[in-house]
Each structure stands twice: as C-alpha cells, then as structure tokens.
Amino acid sequence: MKLATLKNGRKDGRLVVVSRDLQHAADAAAIAPTLLDALERWHAAEAPLLALYERLNAGTADGAFAFDPAQAAAPLPRAPQWCDGSAFLNHGRLMEKAFDIAPMPDADRIPLMYQGGSDDLLGPHDDLPLPDEAHGIDFEGEFGVIVGEVPLGCPAALALRHVRLLVQINDVSLRAFGPREMRTGFGFFQAKPSSSFAPVAVTPDEIGEAWRDGRVHLDLTVMRGDERFGHPNGGEMSFGFDQLIAHAAFTRRLSAGTIVGSGTVSNAGGQRGSACIAERRAIELIEHGASRTPFLHFGERVRMEAQWQGAPVFGAIDQRVVQALPPTA
Amino acid sequence: MKLATLKNGRKDGRLVVVSRDLQHAADAAAIAPTLLDALERWHAAEAPLLALYERLNAGTADGAFAFDPAQAAAPLPRAPQWCDGSAFLNHGRLMEKAFDIAPMPDADRIPLMYQGGSDDLLGPHDDLPLPDEAHGIDFEGEFGVIVGEVPLGCPAALALRHVRLLVQINDVSLRAFGPREMRTGFGFFQAKPSSSFAPVAVTPDEIGEAWRDGRVHLDLTVMRGDERFGHPNGGEMSFGFDQLIAHAAFTRRLSAGTIVGSGTVSNAGGQRGSACIAERRAIELIEHGASRTPFLHFGERVRMEAQWQGAPVFGAIDQRVVQALPPTA
C-alpha cells in the first residue's frame, strides 16, 4: 500500500492513497483525515485503506485523480518524533579517518542516534530555505521507517512488528555547525534544519524481498543537478531498523508516527559514490589531502529516488536550495 | 491568564481556563478544543480566553468546576518541538570542574541547547516509569516558554514578542547515559526520557515584574521527599529566553507550540541548593572528593513549585518514580 499527504493549508495535510505506479490517488478522508490519525488507529484504518488501494490499482476507485507529487507534503508534515540514526558505520569510519576523530570503542554495539526536530518536515518539491551558503549546506540521502506505538523497553527481536511504513528522506545538514555542536556534547541543533521526504510512504510488502533483516535493500540514487552523485544501497546498514527502534525505545515509549532514520546511506569501497557531500569531501581529504567538492550553492537542485524492479517506490525528492527571506519579526 | 489541559483519553487532551488561585476551571472548548489549537490561532483565541478567565476569577463563569491538578496532563502533552537550553552557566561550570571537562571557549556567547523528544510529555502528578534504578535517575527543575510561530532567523531583539506562555518543567534525566552520549557528539537521547510539566501555563503578565529581561525571576522550590533540595531563582539565567529563542530559530522556523527550556535552574554560591541531584553530586565531588547524595530510587517523590507574591503560579509538579512494567510487545 502507498500513502501520501496532500497540502490543504493545514499543518497535517490530508491523507490520500496512491496507486502502485504513482500515477493516481484517491482521497482517504472517509477512513482517516490525516496519516497521523491513520497511524494512531492503524488496526481500524489499515484494512479499508488497503481495500481502497486495491480499487485504485484496479482502476475502480470512485473519484480517483491524477497524483501530482508537487502537491505533496511530507507524509507526516508534523511527526510526533524524529529519531535519526547513523547506522552505516562505513560513513562514520570515513569521517573519523578524515578528521582524526577517536572512534567510540563500542560503536559497533550501540547505534548512534540523535533527536531531530519534527515539527516542520518538508515535502518532496518544497524549496529548502536556508540563511547562508557559508553554513556548508549539504544533503543526506536516507531511508526511514514510521512506527506505530512502541512500548518502553521493546527489544529488537520484537521491534519490526511495529514498523508501519517505509520512507525516503533528505536529512538536510549545515556542516559549519556540526563540529562545534558535537564538541559541546549536546549534539546537533542548528546543524539540522528541517528534513525533506519523498512523496509516498509505503508498507514494507511493496518492496518484496528488498525489505529483509530490518533493512531497505534498495539503491538510493542521489543526483546533484545533472551529476549522479551516488547510488549506495540501503542493505549495508550496520544496525537494522529493529536495533534502531529498540535503541530509541530503551528509556521511553514511542508514539505512533515516530520516524526512525537510517542515517546517510553509505557503502564500503567507494564505487557507489556517496549520499552526502561531507562524505565525498572526507574521501577527498583522505586520498588527496584536501577536499575539492563544494557544498551546495543557492539555486542548486538535489534529486533522490529509489527503484524496485525498475519502478520508483517512494517517488522522488527533487528540490532546490534557496536563500531564506530575512525575518520580518 | 492561566490555562491547563485536562486528560480526556486523547493525545492532546482538552483545554480549560484556570482561575488565578488555581481553585476553579472552566471548559474552553467553545474557543479552542486544545491548547495547541489555541496557540495556532492565538490572535483569534486570546481575547475570548481572557474574557472567560476574567469571568472565572469573578465567579461568574457558567459551568465552572473545581480544578483538580491530578487530572491535568502537561499543558501540551504532545508539543511540536522541545528545545531545551542549558542557560545557567553556573551549572555548567560546576559540572566542568567536577568532571574535569574542558569548557567551550565561546560558552558565554553561544547558548547550549539540545533537541528533546516532545511526543509524550507527562502531567504534574503522573508517575515517572523508568526501566532501571541503575540508570542514575535525576530530576531537573526548569522554567520554560511556549512560543507562537517564530520565523527563521528571528533576532533576539524581536524574540520575546513570540512568547505566549510560561511553564515549569521537570526535565527527567538518566545520568548513566549522559557522559557516553555526550562523547559521541550526537547528544542526549536515552539520557532524556519524557519531561513532566506543572499543571498550569500562564501568560507572562501573571508574574508581573518577575518576568523581565526574558527571565523568570522566581524561586523554584524543589523537594525530594520531605527534604528541601534547593530553591534557586530563575533570574540568574546567563542567556535570556530571547537569546534561547533566537538560537533555536537560527536555521529553522519554530512552529506554534514549540517549548523552549531554561535548563536546570542554578545559582552561584550554593546557598540556595540545587535543582538537580547531579549538580549537588558535582559540588560534593569538588568539596569532599566524592559524591554522597544518591540518585532517585523507585518510590521516591519529587515536588517542584514556584510562588509569586506568596501564591503558587503554575501549580506543583508532584510525582513518584516507579519501575516501568516490562514490555509486552
């Protein structure tokens, strides 16, 4: 099943079901007005949403209309919580090597995760308004899961039963703030403005065997303008989403609608490129003694898409970095 | 004006207006069903809420009933965002001295702030269910502000106009996780389970001149069981809420309902005690070479209250630490 949120002038938008080929949509308001509402009442909402999805795919849904991803918000424009892992150790090792950071001795046992802001998540074609090019504007291509309510202390062995939907994310990052915010120990804050999401969230069965071991075994193709920047595969996660969910729920329960992210997708060996500029710059620093690739300039476009069996899964993130207007008050 | 949220079985509860003396309440559903809704439509909701508040104080509000803080949820049980500062540098300096942490060279210029989870904030009399006493269970008494929408880049000079309400907070902390999570650079996650809130949020005028310079100049009396643990004053913030809001909004807009916290209230000199156990333990370590005061045990109670002109402002946080039930799935 594929679900999206269309903008309607309200914070949470309105829920639609999207056809498997992403061409058509049908209003789901009679089942649940918003995706968050559907997630909070999943046991009641799942079956009628699925029935509508099947009618939509069969061409028999009343009131079906063309799906326009430019009208889509993030699937959850305002999520209860955004817990972003850094589960590809290859990425972390490159950053440590480039910047001479001492690795955590237990980094292969305890996943890294930061708490992100989740009040203002952006849609797939929304501009990225940021204050200053000098802040080191970067993208990070990721996969994520949206969970139902997860009880405090949920073990990894039971965590995947709480996964409702898979999503694809651009975790926008401002690299100028990262090192200082890491040194304070308080973690990322100004370094992590709003993240963006591909238009469609999908149930795990939509990618068949590519969802296994709590990992999304799909290539994430990241384009910077016309350049294919990278196409790493999500299967190389050093921690599965089962482990990330258990980590997030270790001392708290997670509300339905919590999003758990993989961290920037990264594959060993380098042949597949990178899903963020910082990683390529780290590789350049290691190999050539200096970083060459610049961070994003205003006006640049970033596109991210994942396919399964030759067809797009989540739709594309395709957005432009722009200068934020000066504040008015 | 004083506002509270009563539990009604839904995530966001229901909004009530509370009399100045905290004795009576009146349903505000005809104006706004929830506090979040009121904050999102503040320019429309403020005047009728205030009129209801005045009738309630005059004893002429229809349907007024006794206010029972035990029925109160957090004013925002599910806030869009929770941005917690650490704005009392006295606290940070004690921690640095006790644990031989190198201070950030610009710590007096850039406030510390971490992103907290905001999906599951607890009410004033809710139990604190936590998995293990060995995690170093601690309280942190704080003040906070709830803002309306704040534009990206809002300067400190314009930030206070966005303050809608003042709140009082117990930022529950698990000290066993803090040092490791700080070393990773990704910041607090498992160290910060759900925070708790005093029952009533108040407009700044409710504390007269005690709200000035973007600071809450009130004593916060913290009781651990029958012991007065500390009564530090909020006026010693090294950064005002104006600076904290500007810091939070530097690279992102803040949604209406965002909560910005002061960090644990802490006064120089030590005569007023501490608002968290970790700070007292740090002082003991500095003065005696060893920490003596234990962290919380299951069954212990914590009470926090602030008064203005001899009367309670926000009502009291009064809660018990309990062992979380083992997860069921």
Side-chain angles (χ1 to χ4, degrees), chain A residues 7 21 50 52-53 60 65 71 81 94 106 209 240 261 267 276 280 289 296 327:
Chain A
K7 297 179 183 185
D21 62 6
L50 189 57
L52 178 57
Y53 180 62
T60 59
F65 55 92
Q71 302 303 313
Q81 195 177 186
L94 286 169
D106 47 9
E209 285 300 306
N267 290 173
C276 68
R280 183 190 280 185
L296 292 171

Side-chain angles (χ1 to χ4, degrees), chain B residues 143-164:
Chain B
F143 294 109
V145 298
I146 300 176
V147 295
E149 186 165 320
V150 179
L152 188 156
C154 177
L158 300 178
L160 293 183
R161 65 176 63 173
H162 300 292
V163 172
R164 299 283 179 260

Side-chain angles (χ1 to χ4, degrees), chain A residues 72 89 105 130 152 218 229 263 273 296 313:
Chain A
L89 289 181
L130 293 167
L152 187 157
L218 297 176
F229 201 85
L296 292 171
V313 177

Side-chain angles (χ1 to χ4, degrees), chain A residues 11 40 78 80 106 115 119-120 151 153 161-162 180 185 187 189-190 192-193 247 250-253 255 327 329, chain B residues 11 40 78 80 106 112 115 119-120 151 153 162 180 184-185 187 189-190 192-193 247 250-253 255 327 329:
Chain A
K11 276 270 181 186
E40 291 177 339
R78 174 168 63 171
D106 47 9
Q115 186 91 42
D119 64 318
D120 186 31
R161 67 175 63 173
H162 300 293
R180 184 191 180 279
F189 195 99
Q190 293 179 339
K192 295 289 185 180
H247 182 83
F250 193 64
T251 61
R252 61 173 90 176
R253 59 187 173 192
S255 298
Chain B
K11 276 270 182 187
E40 291 176 342
R78 175 169 62 172
D106 47 11
L112 277 174
Q115 186 91 43
D119 65 317
D120 186 31
H162 300 292
R180 184 190 180 280
T184 68
F189 195 100
Q190 293 179 340
K192 295 289 185 181
H247 182 84
F250 193 64
T251 61
R252 62 175 88 176
R253 60 187 173 193
S255 298

Side-chain angles (χ1 to χ4, degrees), chain A:
Chain A
M1 174 161 64
K2 300 197 174 191
L3 301 170
T5 295
L6 294 184
K7 297 179 183 185
N8 66 348
R10 297 180 62 89
K11 276 270 181 186
D12 298 310
R14 69 184 180 99
L15 178 64
V16 296
V17 175
V18 181
S19 62
R20 181 164 289 131
D21 62 6
L22 307 183
Q23 296 303 303
H24 299 94
D27 189 272
I31 303 164
T34 67
L35 179 54
L36 184 58
D37 180 68
L39 289 161
E40 291 177 339
R41 301 186 298 105
W42 192 249
H43 294 295
E46 184 183 14
L49 287 172
L50 189 57
L52 178 57
Y53 180 62
E54 287 169 356
R55 291 199 301 279
L56 187 64
N57 286 327
T60 59
D62 289 337
F65 55 92
F67 177 63
D68 177 6
Q71 302 303 313
L76 289 173
R78 174 168 63 171
Q81 195 177 186
W82 163 224
C83 310
D84 197 13
S86 182
F88 293 86
L89 289 181
N90 183 65
H91 173 74
R93 289 185 188 121
L94 286 169
M95 303 305 278
E96 287 163 5
K97 188 170 176 183
F99 299 106
D100 199 21
I101 302 166
M104 294 293 292
D106 47 9
D108 58 344
R109 198 172 53 79
I110 304 177
L112 277 175
M113 182 173 285
Y114 73 88
Q115 186 91 42
S118 60
D119 64 318
D120 186 31
L121 303 173
L122 301 177
H125 293 273
D126 289 346
D127 285 341
L128 294 174
L130 293 167
D132 195 335
E133 286 184 348
H135 292 165
I137 302 169
D138 201 357
F139 46 82
E140 287 194 3
E142 305 193 8
F143 295 109
V145 299
I146 300 177
V147 295
E149 185 167 321
V150 179
L152 187 157
C154 177
L158 299 178
L160 293 183
R161 67 175 63 173
H162 300 293
V163 172
R164 300 284 179 258
L165 298 165
L166 310 180
V167 292
Q168 183 203 309
I169 306 163
N170 177 11
D171 179 42
V172 180
S173 298
L174 300 177
R175 302 300 182 184
F177 300 107
R180 184 191 180 279
E181 291 187 333
M182 292 184 79
R183 275 198 305 280
T184 67
F186 274 46
F188 306 120
F189 195 99
Q190 293 179 339
K192 295 289 185 180
S194 295
S195 295
S196 305
F197 285 71
V200 173
V202 309
T203 47
D205 59 289
E206 287 290 338
I207 60 168
E209 285 300 306
W211 171 249
R212 62 180 189 275
D213 309 323
R215 290 157 172 85
V216 177
H217 292 258
L218 297 176
D219 290 353
L220 183 59
T221 299
V222 178
M223 305 286 297
R224 177 182 186 170
D226 295 330
E227 176 200 0
R228 190 169 75 158
F229 201 85
H231 54 116
N233 190 285
E236 270 189 43
M237 277 172 90
S238 308
F239 299 93
F241 282 108
D242 50 341
Q243 294 162 290
L244 296 183
I245 294 165
H247 182 83
F250 193 64
T251 61
R252 61 173 90 176
R253 59 187 173 192
L254 308 180
S255 298
T258 293
I259 307 171
V260 179
S262 69
T264 193
V265 180
S266 178
N267 290 173
Q271 299 89 341
R272 290 177 161 266
S274 295
C276 68
I277 299 172
E279 184 177 297
R280 183 190 280 185
R281 286 172 58 89
I283 293 168
E284 291 169 343
L285 187 60
I286 294 165
E287 295 185 353
H288 310 293
S291 299
R292 298 168 177 179
T293 304
F295 290 114
L296 292 171
H297 299 291
F298 292 137
E300 281 198 84
R301 297 197 75 86
V302 177
R303 190 175 199 282
M304 300 179 177
E305 193 178 52
Q307 299 206 337
W308 181 61
Q309 298 186 337
V313 177
F314 308 97
I317 290 174
D318 188 348
Q319 52 188 173
R320 199 170 47 120
V321 180
V322 302
Q323 183 154 29
L325 296 173
T328 52

Side-chain angles (χ1 to χ4, degrees), chain B residues 64-325:
Chain B
F65 55 91
F67 177 63
D68 177 5
Q71 302 302 312
L76 289 173
R78 175 169 62 172
Q81 197 177 185
W82 163 224
C83 309
D84 197 14
S86 181
F88 293 85
L89 289 181
N90 183 63
H91 173 74
R93 289 185 188 123
L94 286 170
M95 302 306 276
E96 288 164 4
K97 186 168 178 185
F99 298 107
D100 200 21
I101 302 166
M104 294 294 292
D106 47 11
D108 56 345
R109 198 172 54 79
I110 305 177
L112 277 174
M113 183 174 283
Y114 73 89
Q115 186 91 43
S118 60
D119 65 317
D120 186 31
L121 303 174
L122 301 178
H125 293 274
D126 289 347
D127 284 342
L128 294 174
L130 293 167
D132 195 336
E133 285 185 349
H135 292 164
I137 303 169
D138 200 356
F139 46 81
E140 286 194 3
E142 305 193 9
F143 294 109
V145 298
I146 300 176
V147 295
E149 186 165 320
V150 179
L152 188 156
C154 177
L158 300 178
L160 293 183
R161 65 176 63 173
H162 300 292
V163 172
R164 299 283 179 260
L165 297 165
L166 310 180
V167 291
Q168 182 202 311
I169 306 163
N170 177 11
D171 179 41
V172 180
S173 298
L174 300 177
R175 302 300 182 185
F177 299 106
R180 184 190 180 280
E181 290 187 335
M182 292 184 81
R183 274 198 305 278
T184 68
F186 274 45
F188 305 119
F189 195 100
Q190 293 179 340
K192 295 289 185 181
S194 296
S195 295
S196 306
F197 285 71
V200 173
V202 309
T203 47
D205 59 289
E206 288 289 341
I207 59 168
E209 285 300 307
W211 172 249
R212 62 179 190 275
D213 311 323
R215 290 159 172 85
V216 176
H217 292 258
L218 297 177
D219 290 352
L220 183 60
T221 299
V222 177
M223 304 287 296
R224 176 181 186 172
D226 295 328
E227 177 200 358
R228 190 168 76 158
F229 200 84
H231 55 118
N233 191 285
E236 268 189 45
M237 277 172 92
S238 308
F239 299 93
F241 282 108
D242 49 342
Q243 294 162 290
L244 296 182
I245 293 166
H247 182 84
F250 193 64
T251 61
R252 62 175 88 176
R253 60 187 173 193
L254 309 181
S255 298
T258 294
I259 307 170
V260 179
S262 67
T264 191
V265 179
S266 177
N267 291 173
Q271 299 88 341
R272 289 177 162 267
S274 295
C276 68
I277 299 173
E279 183 176 296
R280 181 189 281 185
R281 287 172 58 89
I283 293 169
E284 291 168 343
L285 187 59
I286 294 165
E287 294 186 353
H288 310 293
S291 299
R292 298 170 177 176
T293 304
F295 290 115
L296 292 170
H297 298 292
F298 292 137
E300 281 198 83
R301 296 198 76 88
V302 177
R303 191 174 198 282
M304 299 180 177
E305 192 177 51
Q307 300 206 337
W308 181 61
Q309 297 186 337
V313 176
F314 308 96
I317 291 174
D318 188 348
Q319 53 188 173
R320 199 169 48 120
V321 180
V322 302
Q323 182 153 29
L325 296 173

